[in-house]
C-alpha cells in the first residue's frame, strides 16, 4: 500500500513538472491523456515465488470519478488471456488503485489496467496501461 501511495505522489509531482504534450515510459513516447494524470499497471516478483499485481489511475481534478479494472494476463504466442480469478476493480474520486498477490505457474505474464474517468455519469475518456512482461520459471 505504501508503494502505491508513493507512486501516486511521484506521479502527481511529475504531472506538475511536465510541460510537453508527451511523456516517456519504458514502452516509448505516448500521447498524454486529457482527462487522466496517469494510468499505471505493474507486475513484479516480491520473493518466494509470490508476484504482486497492481494498478492505478489518477484524474487531474477533484470532481472526476475514476474506475479501473486490473487483470493479470498470461501471454501465449501472440495472444494474451485473463488468468481465471485474476480480475480486480476499484473506483474513487480523483484516484483508484488496487493490488493483489499471487503465486504463478510458469509462463509469461503482464498486468493490464483499463481505466475510465467520469464527470457525473458521463464517460470522458478511457485508457489502458500494461506492465512489462514477466517470465515466471
Amino acid at each position: 500500500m505504501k508503494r502505491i501511495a508513493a507512486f501516486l505522489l511521484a506521479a502527481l509531482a511529475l504531472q506538475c513538472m511536465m510541460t510537453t504534450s508527451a511523456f516517456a515510459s519504458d514502452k516509448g513516447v505516448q500521447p498524454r491523456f486529457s482527462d487522466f494524470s496517469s494510468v499505471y499497471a505493474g507486475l513484479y516478483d516480491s520473493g518466494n515465488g509470490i508476484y504482486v499485481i497492481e494498478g492505478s489511475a489518477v484524474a487531474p481534478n477533484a470532481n472526476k470519478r475514476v474506475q479501473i479494472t486490473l487483470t493479470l494476463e498470461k501471454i501465449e504466442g501472440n495472444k494474451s488471456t485473463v488468468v481465471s480469478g485474476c480480475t480486480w476493480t476499484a473506483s474513487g474520486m480523483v484516484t483508484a488503485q488496487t493490488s493483489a498477490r499471487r503465486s504463478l505457474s510458469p509462463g509469461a505474464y503482464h498486468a493490464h489496467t483499463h481505466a475510465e474517468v467520469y464527470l457525473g455519469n458521463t464517460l470522458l475518456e478511457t485508457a489502458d496501461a500494461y506492465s512489462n512482461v514477466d517470465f515466471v520459471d
Side-chain angles (χ1 to χ4, degrees), residues 3-4 7 26-27 40-47 49-56 70-75 80-81 83 86 88 98-113 129-137:
R3 183 182 175 117
I4 292 174
F7 169 79
D26 58 0
K27 299 198 178 197
Y40 166 76
L43 173 65
Y44 63 90
D45 185 352
S46 66
I50 303 297
Y51 285 78
V52 175
I53 307 102
E54 56 190 12
S56 65
L70 172 65
T71 56
L72 176 66
E73 299 176 357
K74 188 169 187 176
I75 303 166
S80 63
T81 56
V83 176
C86 293
W88 305 273
T98 188
S99 65
R101 295 174 175 266
R102 291 289 185 271
S103 176
L104 303 177
S105 60
Y109 297 87
H110 65 215
H112 172 204
T113 299
Y130 295 86
S131 70
N132 288 329
V133 174
D134 207 330
F135 297 94
V136 178
D137 297 329

